[in-house]
Amino acid sequence: MDVGAFTSGLLTGLREGVEAALILAIICAYLAKTGNNRHFPKIFLGAGLAVALSAILGIGIYVTVGSFQEPYEQLFEAATLILAASVVTWMLFWMRRQARSVRGELHAAVDRALNDGSAIALAFLAFIAVIREGVETSLFLVGQAASASAEGGEMWVLVGAVVGLLIAAVLGVGFYHGSRRLNLATFFRWTGVALVFIAAGLLSHAVHELIEIGVITVGTQTLFDLSAVLPHDEEGGSIVGQFLAALFGYTSTPEVTTFVVWLTYVVVVLTLFLRPVKPAPAATAPASTATAKG
């Protein structure tokens, strides 16, 4: 078992799955509260279609990568890794900004769908709510699988993701029934920090691929060699090194450019992600009200 690849997939599946499960739980809880339980099947239909489409997309991208010949395989793999890191970075900051208002926005969207009286509108609402998470998950897992393929850990990335999604589904049921034991703010904050390091690993792996095929020719010399202390491959026999390689893109012999890209991404993105969120500006009282009080 490749523990690093499994953990990497587990974290991704859990993080993205919890977001999707939370969205569906909010929608279903609101429907139940307003006496519209009969619309649950439409919500599940839309969510199911989104999950299926995301899975097909991920499988299609991964199979396409494997069908290319060198150097096009490395180019496509590097592009996929960069895209996955970019999407996850965008998702982290989107969730950071929208976490406080997402519940109200979903309630408003459900109200609009109910007022339209359309079953398709509710199914489409669930589809849109889940497809974003699903596409992000597919892209991220493809990137992780491509990164772990050198050590044969791509299957364990998938297994970990499935386990993470199953845990997220259980948590979703808890959300629906009103469980508040899980501190979502803390959960998203710390898993977000972990995803920053995972995304940095994907990005640095993409740079390594581009160096290998000669696209990047600056800073290609090895910066340091820790293979005698903490090797990253199976031949070195270090489980810790393999774990770090699968989860965070660690390599015991990084090129200068690869390390600089990794370090720059971590410092910049982590600093921006952990900075305090500015509170929304308070609403200004109407002039007529202020006059009446005076």
Side-chain angles (χ1 to χ4, degrees), residues 120-166:
I120 297 178
L122 281 173
F124 185 70
L125 172 63
F127 177 84
I128 293 299
V130 175
I131 191 65
R132 184 182 66 83
E133 308 296 340
V135 170
E136 288 173 359
T137 304
S138 294
L139 288 173
F140 207 11
L141 290 177
V142 167
Q144 288 175 318
S147 181
S149 61
E151 289 77 29
E154 59 268 37
M155 181 55 65
W156 288 110
V157 171
L158 178 60
V159 172
V162 171
V163 173
L165 290 171
L166 290 175

Side-chain angles (χ1 to χ4, degrees), residues 63-161:
V63 172
T64 301
V65 173
S67 66
F68 286 150
Q69 299 298 320
E70 190 175 335
Y72 301 106
E73 179 180 354
Q74 286 87 346
L75 284 171
F76 193 84
E77 183 176 326
T80 302
L81 291 167
I82 292 171
L83 179 60
S86 301
V87 169
V88 170
T89 304
W90 174 85
M91 175 270 296
L92 286 171
F93 289 101
W94 184 89
M95 277 300 297
R96 183 177 180 273
R97 292 193 305 268
Q98 301 296 327
R100 296 184 178 183
S101 60
V102 65
R103 184 185 298 270
E105 292 175 359
L106 285 173
H107 286 178
V110 172
D111 285 337
R112 288 193 296 270
L114 291 173
N115 291 334
D116 291 340
S118 172
I120 297 178
L122 281 173
F124 185 70
L125 172 63
F127 177 84
I128 293 299
V130 175
I131 191 65
R132 184 182 66 83
E133 308 296 340
V135 170
E136 288 173 359
T137 304
S138 294
L139 288 173
F140 207 11
L141 290 177
V142 167
Q144 288 175 318
S147 181
S149 61
E151 289 77 29
E154 59 268 37
M155 181 55 65
W156 288 110
V157 171
L158 178 60
V159 172

Side-chain angles (χ1 to χ4, degrees), residues 4-274:
F6 176 82
T7 305
S8 177
L10 174 68
L11 181 61
T12 299
L14 181 61
R15 165 68 189 237
E16 301 299 313
V18 164
E19 290 184 18
L22 178 60
I23 290 172
L24 291 178
I26 291 173
I27 293 174
C28 289
Y30 188 64
L31 286 174
K33 183 179 179 180
T34 55
N36 290 288
N37 307 57
R38 65 187 182 280
H39 294 302
F40 280 7
K42 302 164 189 173
I43 298 298
F44 297 143
L45 173 63
L49 289 174
V51 171
L53 183 60
S54 301
I56 292 172
L57 174 65
I59 293 172
I61 294 176
Y62 189 75
V63 172
T64 301
V65 173
S67 66
F68 286 150
Q69 299 298 320
E70 190 175 335
Y72 301 106
E73 179 180 354
Q74 286 87 346
L75 284 171
F76 193 84
E77 183 176 326
T80 302
L81 291 167
I82 292 171
L83 179 60
S86 301
V87 169
V88 170
T89 304
W90 174 85
M91 175 270 296
L92 286 171
F93 289 101
W94 184 89
M95 277 300 297
R96 183 177 180 273
R97 292 193 305 268
Q98 301 296 327
R100 296 184 178 183
S101 60
V102 65
R103 184 185 298 270
E105 292 175 359
L106 285 173
H107 286 178
V110 172
D111 285 337
R112 288 193 296 270
L114 291 173
N115 291 334
D116 291 340
S118 172
I120 297 178
L122 281 173
F124 185 70
L125 172 63
F127 177 84
I128 293 299
V130 175
I131 191 65
R132 184 182 66 83
E133 308 296 340
V135 170
E136 288 173 359
T137 304
S138 294
L139 288 173
F140 207 11
L141 290 177
V142 167
Q144 288 175 318
S147 181
S149 61
E151 289 77 29
E154 59 268 37
M155 181 55 65
W156 288 110
V157 171
L158 178 60
V159 172
V162 171
V163 173
L165 290 171
L166 290 175
I167 295 174
V170 173
L171 292 175
V173 175
F175 296 150
Y176 172 73
H177 289 292
S179 173
R180 295 295 182 269
R181 293 183 179 179
L182 180 64
N183 187 316
L184 289 178
T186 301
F187 174 84
F188 285 128
R189 183 178 181 85
W190 286 109
T191 54
V193 169
L195 285 178
V196 169
F197 283 94
I198 292 177
L202 295 179
L203 193 60
S204 64
H205 186 76
V207 173
H208 172 73
E209 292 291 328
L210 295 176
I211 288 176
E212 279 197 335
I213 58 176
V215 173
I216 295 177
T217 58
V218 178
T220 59
Q221 66 271 30
T222 301
L223 180 61
F224 52 77
D225 188 351
L226 298 178
S227 55
V229 180
L230 190 63
H232 65 270
D233 52 11
E234 292 183 357
E235 295 181 1
S238 171
I239 297 178
V240 176
Q242 293 176 48
F243 175 84
L244 294 175
L247 190 58
F248 301 122
Y250 164 77
T251 174
S252 56
T253 55
E255 301 91 353
V256 173
T257 300
T258 301
F259 184 78
V260 168
V261 168
W262 180 89
L263 183 62
T264 301
Y265 179 91
V266 168
V267 171
V268 173
V269 176
L270 202 58
T271 300
L272 293 175
F273 180 72
L274 293 177

